[in-house]
Amino acid sequence: MLQLPRHELHKKLVGRANPMRIQLEITRRCNLDCVHCIQGGCSDIAGEMTAADYERLLPRMSAAGVFSVSLTGGEFLCHPEIHDILGLLLRSDFWLALQTNGTLLDQDTVDFLARHREKIRAVAVSLYGATAQAHESVTRSPGSFEKTIRAIDMLSEAGFRVEVISLLMTMNQDEATQIQELCRKRGLFHQFNSIIAPRKDGEKSSLECRLPEELLKKLPRPWETFSENFIPHEPDDFAPDKTLDAWCTMARTSGYIDSRGNLLPCSIMDLPAGNVKERPFDELWHDSAVFNALRKLKIGQFECSRCGHFPTCRPCPGLAFLEHGNMFEAPKEICRIIELFLGDKEVKQA
């Protein structure tokens, strides 16, 4: 059987703009009150997708070629019809990943998920400290640490791949080593970074939690692997006249459907192609003027392409959009962190 090299296969799939990976924002509801939450004041549930909406949507996604689906929120377990929605997903042919704070997981829910474990790639759980005091300084929800740890242990004992995700900020940055040790003892994958994105409602108080340079330097290395980009590529993929195929998969092979049914390029770029409750997913994906315009963008249009750290650093255009309202500008928070570890950037000569 003919096998294409990974790089060539990726280019072929991206070139056809086939949707493969979709994130579903099941709900914006959440039972915690995390200080850094990107949703901020955008937790309105008006127009929220129902189980009936997903029953119509999922077959269209599958027929279009989607095979990987991630559930997120808010906290996806807060949706009032979540067990019906999970049933629809688990009866489908998708490979699932779940992102949760873990506090609403009980043994019955874990047992239910475990009956379909082969369809669940991983469960990512947010953990902000190795002690209740540290964790709950972020969640602002008493008792949340104990519930999260219990969920991690239940999931691990049920055989799931548990990925512990930790965002480090001013109030918990000294917990990095302790969290790593907690995960090591349990044999868990652990990842952390310090990128605090602006809130979607424009309120900026969460940005005060960003770590100053002197504290960033003290974090365990190599913490800054967030800058790694695992899209297969070759050096000439980043020429100014090339499209973003090797940089960002938004609207090419990946997309995001928010809790109201809006199809977006990614989780933080609010440029809707349309609404899946009003028009079939596959039609929106292929016919949207917004998505087709994104697919035609050239690397040379982006400020980052003229930086001496590019393409070693290929930051998220969505983060720039959220931070500045302009995806073509460099995301300044990424610049601050990258320059701390790689040195001051040099502007490339045209």
Side-chain angles (χ1 to χ4, degrees):
M1 184 174 76
L2 178 64
Q3 290 187 331
L4 289 174
R6 183 166 174 257
H7 173 257
E8 290 183 24
L9 177 62
H10 171 79
K11 292 186 75 170
K12 195 174 283 285
L13 291 170
V14 170
R16 293 174 180 172
N18 288 337
M20 296 188 293
R21 298 180 294 111
I22 296 293
Q23 278 188 293
L24 297 177
E25 179 192 76
I26 299 298
T27 183
R28 291 185 177 180
R29 309 168 197 240
C30 190
N31 60 318
L32 302 184
D33 183 30
C34 294
V35 65
H36 64 281
C37 182
I38 192 173
Q39 297 288 10
C42 297
S43 56
D44 182 12
I45 61 172
E48 188 173 76
M49 292 268 286
T50 66
D53 292 323
Y54 285 106
E55 190 170 13
R56 289 185 289 270
L57 169 65
L58 298 180
R60 301 301 294 243
M61 285 172 46
S62 180
V66 175
F67 67 86
S68 177
V69 173
S70 298
L71 306 191
T72 185
E75 169 53 54
F76 78 88
L77 289 168
C78 285
H79 194 290
E81 297 181 297
I82 188 56
H83 288 287
D84 293 333
I85 295 169
L86 284 173
L88 291 168
L89 285 159
L90 292 168
R91 288 193 296 273
S92 72
D93 54 0
F94 299 121
W95 200 27
L96 302 178
L98 313 180
Q99 300 174 33
T100 178
N101 62 46
T103 59
L104 297 178
L105 278 170
D106 55 26
Q107 192 62 59
D108 287 344
T109 304
V110 171
D111 291 343
F112 169 70
L113 295 172
R115 291 195 288 273
H116 307 273
R117 194 174 60 216
E118 73 283 354
K119 291 191 172 184
I120 300 175
R121 177 183 63 78
V123 184
V125 182
S126 301
L127 182 67
Y128 304 109
T131 64
Q133 181 179 359
H135 180 80
E136 292 166 13
S137 71
V138 176
T139 67
R140 299 187 290 196
S141 302
S144 57
F145 174 75
E146 181 181 351
K147 293 175 182 177
T148 295
I149 292 296
R150 184 169 67 244
I152 288 171
D153 290 340
M154 285 192 295
L155 290 164
S156 184
E157 290 168 7
F160 289 101
R161 173 181 167 85
V162 180
E163 299 178 348
V164 174
I165 310 299
S166 302
L167 182 63
L168 298 178
M169 55 200 96
T170 52
M171 67 280 294
N172 72 336
Q173 52 83 25
D174 56 356
E175 290 284 301
T177 302
Q178 293 93 319
I179 298 173
Q180 283 183 321
E181 181 62 14
L182 182 152
C183 293
R184 186 193 65 78
K185 288 181 177 179
R186 286 170 165 79
L188 304 175
F189 173 87
H190 176 238
Q191 179 182 356
F192 66 96
N193 67 49
S194 68
I195 303 173
I196 298 179
R199 282 173 33 163
K200 290 182 178 179
D201 64 358
E203 211 278 329
K204 298 184 182 300
S205 61
S206 61
L207 303 186
E208 297 174 4
C209 300
R210 287 175 170 173
L211 290 175
E213 284 78 0
E214 61 269 19
L215 293 180
L216 283 171
K217 290 179 180 179
K218 295 179 180 180
L219 295 182
R221 307 292 295 275
W223 72 270
E224 68 278 14
T225 52
F226 71 86
S227 64
E228 292 180 358
N229 189 312
F230 297 100
I231 301 173
H233 63 273
E234 293 178 349
D236 63 356
D237 290 337
F238 301 105
D241 61 342
K242 295 294 182 69
T243 56
L244 304 187
D245 299 2
W247 182 353
C248 177
T249 62
M250 65 174 178
R252 289 170 172 75
T253 59
S254 64
Y256 187 88
I257 299 175
D258 75 12
S259 61
R260 295 179 176 88
N262 295 308
L263 175 60
L264 308 173
C266 70
S267 63
I268 54 177
M269 192 174 289
D270 190 14
L271 294 173
N275 193 288
V276 297
K277 292 189 288 186
E278 300 168 359
R279 191 178 177 193
F281 169 83
D282 47 319
E283 292 182 14
L284 287 176
W285 183 271
H286 291 293
D287 299 339
S288 162
V290 172
F291 275 24
N292 283 322
L294 289 171
R295 292 165 188 151
K296 294 176 182 177
L297 293 176
K298 300 297 177 65
I299 284 177
Q301 295 176 252
F302 290 78
E303 179 185 353
C304 286
S305 70
R306 297 180 288 281
C307 170
H309 293 319
F310 184 82
T312 300
C313 171
R314 304 194 292 283
C316 172
L319 185 58
F321 182 87
L322 188 60
E323 192 171 305
H324 312 298
N326 183 353
M327 76 178 86
F328 300 104
E329 291 187 24
K332 298 300 185 285
E333 176 64 0
I334 301 296
C335 292
R336 182 177 77 96
I337 295 171
I338 286 294
E339 289 171 22
L340 184 67
F341 291 99
L342 300 185
D344 292 339
K345 61 185 176 183
E346 297 177 1
V347 178
K348 293 179 179 178
Q349 300 299 315

